[in-house]
Amino acid sequence: MNTMALVRPVVIADSRTPADGIRWLRLVAADGGDLPGWAPGAHLDLILPSGLVRQYSLCGSPTDRRSYEIAVLREPAGRGGSAEVHDDLHVGDEVRIAGPRNRFPLEDAASYVFVAGGIGITPLLSMIREAILRGRDWRLVYGGRTRASMAFRDELEAAHPDRVTILPQDEVGLIDLEAHVAPQPGALVYCCGPEPLLAAVEDHCGRRWAPGSLHVERFIAEAAGPPPSADAQTPFEVQLGLDGPVLTVPADKSILHTLLDADVDVLYSCEEGTCGSCETQVLAGEPDHRDTLLDQSSRDNGCMLICVSRCAGARLVLDVDPPDDLTHRAADSA
C-alpha cells in the first residue's frame, strides 16, 4: 500500500456545532465525483493545511457516496490539530484526506451493545445504522462529561428513546457497567471513548462476558512497551519500489525520517506506532514490527508502520514512490 496514492482533495461543504467543543464537517470530493466506499467503523486521515495529519472516524452513512462526515473534539491539551480544525478551516476550503481505512469493523451478531464515551460516539453512529439495516437488536450506552458536551444526543434520543441511555457524568457519575452492560447471549459489545472507559469496559467484559465479545477502538493506543535496546538498532537498507533507489537507514534514525530526509512524500502523524497513518506495504524483506496497532493479519499481509518498525534482515523493499530527483541521483551514481 502506497499511502500517498490514496490521498485526494476534498472541500468542506458544511459545518455545524453538534455539542460544546465539537465541530461537525461534511466533506465532498473536490472534483464533484463519488468518494470511495466505506463500512461502519472506518476512519480517514485528514491532512490539514499546516501539514498535520489527524485521524477521525466517519460518522455519516456508508450509503452516501457523495460526502463524508466527521466530528472533531477541540482538545486544548492536544498538539494543535483539533484547534486548527476548529479555528482555521471554513466552508469552501479545500483539504486533503487519505483513506478511508477500517480497524474497527462491525461483525455480524444477534444483537449489539454499543458503549460510547464523549467523542467516541462517532464510529458507533454508522454501526447503529448498520444494525438497524441488518434487523438486529441493539442498545446504546452513552456517557459524557455533561449533556451539553455529548454530540448527537438529541437526535439519538428522539429517534430511539427506548434503546439509548444517556449518562452525563456530572449527573450520574461514571457509567455503571454492571447495570448497563450486563451479559447477553449472542451479543457483541462495541466500545469507543477515552482510555479510562475502555479499561473499565475491558475489565468488566473480561470478567462477565464470553471471550471475544468485546471490540474496542482507542483514540490513543495503549502505551507501547519499552524502547528497543541500543544493540537492536542496527542499520539496514530500504528500497523504494521493486526497481527504485536504495537508502540506508542508520542505527539512530527511523525509516520514516530517512525517507523524509530524502524528500520522499509519505503520510505520517503520531511517530509512535499508534495511529496508522504511515502504514506501508512491504514488497520484500522481513519487518521487525515495533508498533502497538497492527494486528497479526495486517502484518501477515505485509503491512508495517515505518515510524517505529525496522528490518529483521538487511533490506526491505517498500511500496513507496521515490521523488524524481532521487531516482535520477541514484541512476547517476550507479
Side-chain angles (χ1 to χ4, degrees):
M1 177 195 312
N2 183 347
T3 307
M4 291 304 299
L6 305 177
V7 171
R8 70 189 68 246
V10 294
V11 174
I12 300 172
D14 198 5
S15 171
R16 64 185 175 93
T17 303
D20 290 350
I22 296 176
R23 188 178 185 196
W24 171 89
L25 300 175
R26 184 167 65 86
L27 310 173
V28 299
D31 63 4
D34 284 350
L35 292 163
W38 59 281
H43 72 273
L44 55 77
D45 293 280
L46 183 66
I47 306 168
L48 297 169
S50 66
L52 291 174
V53 180
R54 295 294 182 265
Q55 296 75 42
Y56 299 112
S57 296
L58 290 166
C59 57
S61 170
T63 62
D64 178 11
R65 294 294 301 275
R66 306 295 292 182
S67 68
Y68 291 151
E69 296 176 26
I70 60 173
V72 180
L73 170 68
R74 180 190 288 274
E75 300 190 58
R79 295 184 291 173
S82 66
E84 186 173 353
V85 171
H86 277 253
D87 298 336
D88 300 335
L89 297 186
H90 307 283
V91 172
D93 286 353
E94 183 175 299
V95 293
R96 295 184 301 157
I97 61 169
R101 292 177 288 159
N102 199 337
R103 302 190 185 283
F104 193 41
L106 184 68
E107 297 181 5
D108 198 22
S111 62
Y112 301 96
V113 179
F114 300 111
V115 183
I119 195 63
I121 187 63
T122 51
L124 303 184
L125 292 174
S126 60
M127 292 186 177
I128 289 171
R129 296 187 185 98
E130 182 65 19
I132 294 171
L133 287 175
R134 294 179 186 180
R136 302 294 190 262
D137 190 25
W138 63 274
R139 293 187 299 109
L140 170 65
V141 180
Y142 185 8
R145 291 179 292 103
T146 65
R147 286 183 183 271
S149 71
M150 299 171 69
F152 314 108
R153 171 182 56 84
D154 290 341
E155 298 97 312
L156 287 164
E157 283 190 305
H160 313 287
D162 57 335
R163 295 180 182 271
V164 175
T165 302
I166 302 296
L167 300 171
Q169 187 174 344
D170 65 338
E171 297 178 21
V172 301
L174 299 176
I175 297 174
D176 183 345
L177 298 176
E178 293 290 340
H180 296 291
V181 191
Q184 300 178 24
L188 292 178
V189 180
Y190 278 79
C191 179
C192 186
E195 182 59 33
L197 172 64
L198 298 184
V201 171
E202 285 176 330
D203 176 71
H204 170 75
C205 290
R207 292 183 290 103
R208 299 289 311 280
W209 286 70
S213 299
L214 174 63
H215 300 262
V216 302
E217 182 172 53
R218 283 177 159 81
F219 290 143
I220 300 177
E222 293 178 340
S229 60
D231 60 0
Q233 298 279 33
T234 55
F236 57 93
E237 295 178 337
V238 291
Q239 182 174 337
L240 310 186
L242 292 173
D243 301 311
V246 176
L247 301 174
T248 297
V249 181
D252 60 350
K253 186 176 290 186
S254 66
I255 299 174
L256 172 64
H257 280 280
T258 300
L259 298 184
L260 293 175
D261 288 348
D263 296 324
V264 179
D265 198 8
V266 289
L267 195 66
Y268 69 98
S269 178
C270 73
E271 300 185 59
E272 297 175 347
T274 61
C275 76
S277 291
C278 70
E279 182 178 326
T280 301
Q281 187 72 35
V282 179
L283 302 177
E286 182 181 356
D288 176 9
H289 295 287
R290 303 185 182 187
D291 65 275
T292 59
L293 181 66
L294 295 179
D295 58 21
Q296 193 57 49
S297 175
S298 296
R299 295 178 178 186
D300 290 344
N301 287 327
C303 296
M304 73 177 297
L305 301 188
I306 60 173
C307 65
V308 293
S309 296
R310 297 183 69 81
C311 179
R315 178 181 291 190
L316 291 172
V317 181
L318 303 179
D319 183 13
V320 173
D321 296 325
D324 290 339
D325 63 332
L326 180 60
T327 302
H328 294 154
R329 292 199 307 269
D332 292 341
S333 62

